[in-house]
Amino acid sequence: MTMLAEQVGGVIGVDTHRDTLAAAAVSPIGAALATTDAPANARGYRRLLDFARQHVPGRRCWALEGVGSYGAGLAAFLDQAGEQVVEVLRPKRPAVRGGRKTDMIDAIRAAKEALASEHLIQPRLRGEREALRVLLVTRHGAVLASTAAINQFKGLIVSAPDDLRAELRKLKRPAQIARCAQLRDRPTQDIEHRMTVRALRSTAQRVQALQAEAKDLESEILALVRQMAPELLELQGIGPITAAQVLVSWSHPGRFRSEAAFASFAGVSPIPASSGLTNRHRINRSGDRQLNRALHTITLIRMRLDPATKTYVARRISEGKTSRDAQRCLKRAVCRQLFKILERSDRTTRISSEQLDAI
């Protein structure tokens, strides 16, 4: 595999922060040519581009840290300027104290890491993919807040005065929330009863608002998914939220060199753990855990509803695998199917019983 050092005349490493950007020009052999810093705004982006053109006038590559956060603006600017950009991970803390640490050292390290890497990381796209991501994050926050409010609401019912608790416990949760959202405190009641009614009403109205917010965001997500990859929604077990998470993690065609790399990124590729006469694999607990969670949801639904999936799981169990091992094999198969569809969106692929038998 061709290394980056053989393709470019230099690498510009950038250590990104909220207000400042530290950059270093590094030659293909790892020598630092020059360093500079700039503010994290449009004027600073242009200054860094002029710096790169001066010290690496030929073909060059940018190695950025924090492309999804502090480096997002610079990455978008460089992409519009036609520059090649790769992403490098944040450095780990040194194992012992006394290690040198400055922004310029981190910028040089980012450039050297890109030069030494065999598999470069392409930054995720913005545009529609970023729109999906922010909607998913916001909806997730609304769902978490709704769950916390519901738990608080249940606690208030448990400790409510006897007559109020007896009235509410006869109802199911949606009816409880609707009833408490319309409660009115009466002056004839004691202060404990009145304040409990106010707390229940406030909490119930908060739950309703958060649930309505999550529902509206899900509608926006569904519209974007239908626009970007409607074929995903045709697959069994995939709804708008799981489809959106798959699209956000995948980003764009060509970002992953193979479906095996995508499976490793999703945390569904088995890791060899053999020794001596023992030949086994262990579960992969790394990768994008949100993508792994989406694949887990898809497999659970298919194991419950899809006849071909039920047959596949039964065959795997008859071969000596546990139910969880069979589910992990199924997650790997689903990951392969999704990757093929996303890379070639003009063709819809389905997992049939014959495909499962071939795995």
Side-chain angles (χ1 to χ4, degrees), residues 314-342:
R315 179 172 64 83
R316 284 296 192 179
I317 293 176
S318 66
E319 293 174 353
K321 292 186 178 295
T322 64
S323 177
R324 293 185 65 182
D325 288 339
Q327 184 179 356
R328 291 166 189 163
C329 295
L330 182 61
K331 287 169 70 174
R332 180 68 176 84
V334 172
C335 183
R336 181 181 299 114
Q337 178 198 30
L338 294 176
F339 181 79
K340 291 179 179 179
I341 291 176
L342 292 171

Side-chain angles (χ1 to χ4, degrees), residues 8 19-20 50-51 56 179 186 196 213 247 255 257 267 273 280 323 344 346-347 349 359:
V8 298
D19 300 317
T20 61
D50 294 338
F51 167 81
V56 188
R179 175 74 180 88
R186 301 175 181 176
T196 302
E213 179 185 350
L247 288 171
R255 181 168 182 260
R257 62 186 182 276
R280 60 180 292 271
S323 177
R344 296 176 291 179
D346 58 335
R347 187 177 73 180
T349 314
I359 299 173

Side-chain angles (χ1 to χ4, degrees), residues 131-271:
L132 264 184
R133 187 192 69 82
V134 296
L135 287 177
L136 275 178
V137 170
T138 307
R139 179 191 174 274
H140 182 64
V143 170
L144 290 180
S146 175
T147 302
I150 289 174
N151 292 336
Q152 181 183 354
F153 177 76
K154 291 180 178 179
L156 289 172
I157 293 178
V158 169
S159 61
D162 292 340
D163 55 343
L164 188 58
R165 183 174 69 251
E167 176 188 356
L168 294 176
R169 295 193 67 176
K170 298 176 182 178
L171 306 175
K172 294 185 178 180
R173 189 178 69 192
Q176 287 177 340
I177 294 174
R179 175 74 180 88
C180 290
Q182 300 175 353
L183 284 176
R184 293 293 181 268
D185 51 307
R186 301 175 181 176
T188 56
Q189 300 289 347
D190 58 38
I191 187 170
E192 177 188 352
H193 190 282
R194 296 200 311 270
M195 294 305 105
T196 302
V197 166
R198 291 187 181 183
L200 285 170
R201 182 175 65 243
S202 176
T203 307
Q205 291 174 350
R206 189 190 320 153
V207 171
Q208 288 180 333
L210 289 169
Q211 290 179 342
E213 179 185 350
K215 187 176 181 180
D216 291 342
L217 290 170
E218 185 172 348
S219 298
E220 296 285 348
I221 291 171
L222 177 59
L224 272 177
V225 171
R226 284 175 175 168
Q227 180 180 347
M228 296 173 62
E231 60 275 10
L232 289 182
L233 298 174
E234 300 175 3
L235 300 176
Q236 189 169 32
I238 300 183
I241 303 304
T242 52
Q245 183 58 60
V246 170
L247 288 171
V248 166
S249 299
W250 170 72
S251 182
H252 60 275
R255 181 168 182 260
F256 296 94
R257 62 186 182 276
S258 65
E259 61 92 12
F262 182 62
S264 178
F265 177 78
V268 298
S269 57
I271 300 176

